[in-house]
């Protein structure tokens, strides 16, 4: 068995039509291990979101191969992609995407509901996920009654509640201040290290660097660099970390 839980090779994706066509991904190789938090960094428009959507089985690539937890996404129909997504992937978005009329706990439980898991067992799982992000006391609050950081923690609980092996987060701290951003990354790093998930976080926030085990750089639809991260990175001057 491969040591990688996500293994993508030669991923290409063109978006848009006619004169507006863009080669968003031009042959990307990227693999993710369990127990590791990988940061994907790159300028605006470099293909980060597109790559996340392909790895998360929300967008089929034009070319290339990927396996997610042993499942190949090549030659697979829409339902097959949706099944891999449902069984293996958790998503966290920059803008939380919570339902405003539901409580925090109901938002989390909804992720189980759409998988056919209901009743007391589902409620218990939702409570555990809320505990993981430190929000048990806010279970009955609605999104408007929560801070941005709390809303993002609810979104993380929702991403985790169905026990996915891969968590994909697209700029999860972009709308947050430093303290809240750090808390979100702490939770995602713990998920990787203590719960043995593969976590991929898209960011251009250098404050996040200390949390990374590995940093991958993308530019213009291609992977252009990779380095190990880790706590020592925090102590290094920025120019040494990114020569
Ligand atoms: P990033 O997340 O790194 O900012 P994206 O993956 O969103 O980059 O976009 C990569 C490139 O594809 C950009 O040039 C962007 O303008 C283009 N793009 C994204 N979505 C579409 C779309 N639906 N139609 C046409 N071009 C798109
Ligand atoms: Mg993006």
């Amino acid at each position: 068995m491969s040591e990688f839980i996500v293994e993508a090779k030669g991923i290409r994706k063109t978006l848009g039509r006619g004169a507006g066509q863009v080669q968003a991904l031009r042959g990307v190789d990227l693999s993710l291990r369990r127990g590791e938090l990988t940061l994907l960094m790159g300028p605006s428009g470099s293909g980060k979101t597109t790559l996340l959507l392909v790895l998360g089985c929300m967008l089929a690539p034009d070319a290339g191969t990927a396996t997610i937890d042993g499942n190949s996404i090549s030659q697979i129909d829409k339902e097959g992609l949706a099944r891999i997504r449902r069984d293996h992937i958790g998503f966290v978005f920059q803008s939380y995407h919570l339902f405003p009329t539901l409580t925090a706990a109901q938002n989390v439980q909804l992720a189980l509901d759409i998988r056919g898991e209901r009743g007391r067992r589902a409620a218990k799982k939702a409570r555990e996920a809320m505990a993981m992000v430190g929000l048990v006391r806010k279970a009955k609050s609605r999104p408007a009654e929560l801070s941005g950081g709390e809303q993002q923690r609810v979104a993380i609980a929702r991403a985790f509640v169905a026990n996915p092996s891969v968590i994909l987060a697209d700029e999860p701290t972009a709308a947050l201040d430093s303290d809240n951003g750090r808390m979100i990354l702490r939770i995602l790093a713990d998920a990787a290290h203590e719960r043995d998930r593969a976590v991929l976080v898209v960011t251009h926030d250098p404050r996040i660097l200390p949390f990374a085990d590995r940093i991958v750089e993308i530019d213009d639809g291609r992977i252009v660099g990779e380095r190990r991260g880790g706590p020592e990175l925090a102590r290094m001057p920025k120019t040494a970390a990114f020569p």
Side-chain angles (χ1 to χ4, degrees):
M1 225 178 84
S2 167
E3 64 169 311
F4 297 110
I5 190 144
V6 172
E7 212 166 1
K9 289 209 171 82
I11 300 292
R12 295 180 172 274
K13 185 71 186 177
T14 298
L15 296 169
R17 283 166 194 279
Q21 250 188 14
V22 176
Q23 281 187 281
L25 300 175
R26 301 165 184 253
V28 169
D29 299 346
L30 183 67
S31 300
L32 304 176
R33 281 188 197 85
R34 280 184 183 276
E36 205 167 72
L37 185 136
T38 302
L39 286 188
L40 180 64
M41 303 191 81
S44 183
S46 56
K48 302 182 298 293
T49 294
T50 307
L51 180 56
L52 221 64
L53 294 175
V54 170
L55 296 178
C57 302
M58 298 181 75
L59 196 63
D62 298 332
T65 58
T67 55
I68 317 287
D69 212 352
N71 299 275
S72 170
I73 66 163
S74 307
Q75 271 145 36
I76 195 171
D77 59 12
K78 265 196 159 147
E79 287 71 35
L81 270 183
R83 186 179 47 74
I84 298 176
R85 194 164 69 223
R86 188 194 63 205
D87 293 345
H88 301 280
I89 309 278
F91 261 104
V92 179
F93 304 94
Q94 177 182 330
S95 50
Y96 325 135
H97 289 194
L98 300 177
F99 285 91
T101 58
L102 301 180
T103 66
Q106 285 169 338
N107 266 285
V108 174
Q109 220 172 313
L110 192 63
L112 295 171
D113 200 69
I114 58 169
R115 291 169 169 86
E117 287 190 54
R118 305 198 173 97
R120 282 179 35 197
R121 234 171 81 88
K124 180 163 176 272
K125 279 190 186 175
R127 261 197 314 279
E128 284 166 3
M130 291 293 282
M132 184 192 118
V133 299
L135 279 183
V136 172
R137 287 190 334 196
K138 304 272 180 162
K140 294 201 167 127
S141 303
R142 288 176 208 278
E145 298 157 354
L146 299 172
S147 72
E150 288 169 341
Q151 289 183 61
Q152 192 60 298
R153 281 149 67 193
V154 174
I156 291 174
R158 179 184 55 189
F160 269 99
V161 73
N163 204 23
S165 44
V166 181
I167 296 284
L168 304 172
D170 197 355
E171 309 209 26
T173 65
L176 301 176
D177 61 35
S178 296
D179 285 349
N180 276 298
R182 267 197 295 275
M183 187 183 299
I184 294 301
L185 258 292
R186 185 75 265 155
I187 292 169
L188 291 171
D190 286 351
H193 301 151
E194 286 162 27
R195 290 162 192 258
D196 211 28
R197 312 304 163 91
V199 180
L200 179 64
V201 178
V202 164
T203 187
H204 35 218
D205 182 352
R207 297 172 304 184
I208 285 176
L209 285 173
F211 294 96
D213 299 302
R214 180 178 167 226
I215 298 152
V216 174
E217 288 177 84
I218 186 171
D219 197 7
D220 203 14
R222 290 191 182 89
I223 303 295
V224 295
E226 176 173 342
R227 67 202 77 216
R228 301 304 301 179
E232 65 276 15
L233 206 59
R235 294 191 287 272
M236 290 163 85
K238 192 161 181 273
T239 46
F242 278 81

